[in-house]
Amino acid sequence: MKNKSYIGISFIILVFGILVVPKIIDRIQDGAVTSADRLDKVESRLSENESLIKIGPAPKFELINQDNQKISNATFKGKVFVIEFFFTSCPTICPKMNQSMLAIEKQFFGNPNFGIASISIDPEKDSPQVLKDHAKLLGATSSNWHFLTGEKAYIFDLANKGFNLYAGENEKVNGGFEHSGLFALIDKNGNIRCRKDKFGNPILYYDGLDPEGVKDIQEDIKLLLKE
């Protein structure tokens, strides 16, 4: 009786060896054992989630900085840079935005492939000298951080039509101007880039008033600098 059991077990092992072992050998030869299908899918999903969305080319501009130098898109060619719209006499959100940008500057200080463009929406008051004094007061020391001024209509068009970041005059509000507190992130090729939200939708711009938004843009700047 025991002999019959041994024969049955031996037969099962033999069948297993004939059907399964060749497949295992093939997978080893193809390298499939170390890169299982399930792991491949996880890796692909992570890579997709970590990539930044390309929104489109940033609008072209040419303005004057705090040193009376012409600054344009070409100035930032090959660099990752961040854009904000503000004004120096702003009594509300601008100081917070500038502090957020200062934190970003410190994070990447000395990196020649990173820059910042802070564009005034009150150019009639914000002359190059006023911007220079503001930069000094703020503590901005990077040579790649440009505080920019120009014609008001031109700058408003750049904000509202170019970047779709609201900026406007309103005598009823404190400071006389209204504007967005968002930052735009531009890659080395001049494209607006952003991450996805938790629902998988592009956020478009980063909240310069929120510590989490500042943290997010710092992380994404690092990703773009590696591209």
Side-chain angles (χ1 to χ4, degrees), residues 136-193:
K136 184 177 180 180
L137 181 64
L138 182 62
T141 55
S142 172
S143 59
N144 285 330
W145 188 348
H146 300 282
F147 292 82
L148 302 172
T149 189
E151 295 293 330
K152 182 189 291 186
Y154 179 88
I155 290 173
F156 276 28
D157 279 348
L158 180 64
N160 293 307
K161 298 178 182 179
F163 283 96
N164 198 30
L165 290 172
Y166 175 68
E169 293 184 271
N170 186 345
E171 296 179 354
K172 296 180 180 180
V173 301
N174 197 9
F177 291 88
E178 294 178 314
H179 63 97
S180 165
L182 301 176
F183 294 164
L185 177 59
I186 318 298
D187 67 18
K188 294 177 182 178
N189 297 314
N191 294 305
I192 300 173
R193 301 284 289 275

Side-chain angles (χ1 to χ4, degrees), residues 14 42 55 58 72 114 125-126 146 163 202 204:
L14 178 62
V42 171
I55 302 302
S72 68
F114 176 72
K125 294 180 180 177
D126 288 341
H146 300 282
F163 283 96
L204 300 182

